[in-house]
Amino acid sequence: MEIELLEILLWAGLIFFFWALKENLGNVEADLQKIEEAKLRAARNPPKPRFVSPDGLSEPIGHYRDATIYGFAIIAGRRFRFDSICPLGSVTLSPDQACLPPGLLYVACDH
């Protein structure tokens, strides 16, 4: 009698465990779907870098997308040096960085 009661209790616990697991997996699936939808929205509307207009440019060093890359730029009275090309859609600029069209990243320099 005690063994039968224990077996029924274990079966009830197992059924409850699977029910709870199913409910939680449904929530995880919904969360994953929301994340995927957010990624798709971000891919459709990537953040664009804020381009600034330089006060002055010096030392041409190359070309990118029909634009001349200059070694140095004066922006808002500060001297910047060319650093890299901005990756499209994933630019977060620090206060010591500036982005010139069509996506040229410059970094403030002291000299």
Side-chain angles (χ1 to χ4, degrees):
M1 175 85 166
E2 291 179 16
I3 294 176
E4 293 167 350
L5 185 59
L6 181 61
E7 186 177 354
I8 291 171
L9 185 62
L10 288 174
W11 277 109
L14 185 63
I15 290 170
F16 176 75
F17 172 75
F18 282 127
W19 175 79
L21 184 63
K22 178 186 159 275
E23 290 297 314
N24 286 330
L25 286 178
N27 294 338
V28 170
E29 184 179 351
D31 290 344
L32 289 174
Q33 186 175 4
K34 287 178 186 176
I35 291 170
E36 287 300 319
E37 289 171 358
K39 284 181 182 179
L40 286 174
R41 279 193 305 271
R44 283 187 220 120
N45 301 316
K48 295 183 175 49
R50 289 190 325 245
F51 293 134
V52 296
S53 296
D55 300 331
L57 298 166
S58 64
E59 299 182 28
I61 58 173
H63 290 83
Y64 174 69
R65 291 189 177 180
D66 297 330
T68 302
I69 301 173
Y70 291 91
F72 295 94
I74 305 295
I75 301 167
R78 294 179 66 192
R79 186 174 169 91
F80 286 77
R81 68 172 171 73
F82 175 74
D83 186 59
S84 63
I85 304 296
C86 292
L88 294 176
S90 62
V91 178
T92 303
L93 300 177
S94 74
D96 288 338
Q97 294 178 322
C99 194
L100 275 66
L104 308 174
L105 183 66
Y106 284 79
V107 182
C109 59
D110 296 326
H111 53 296

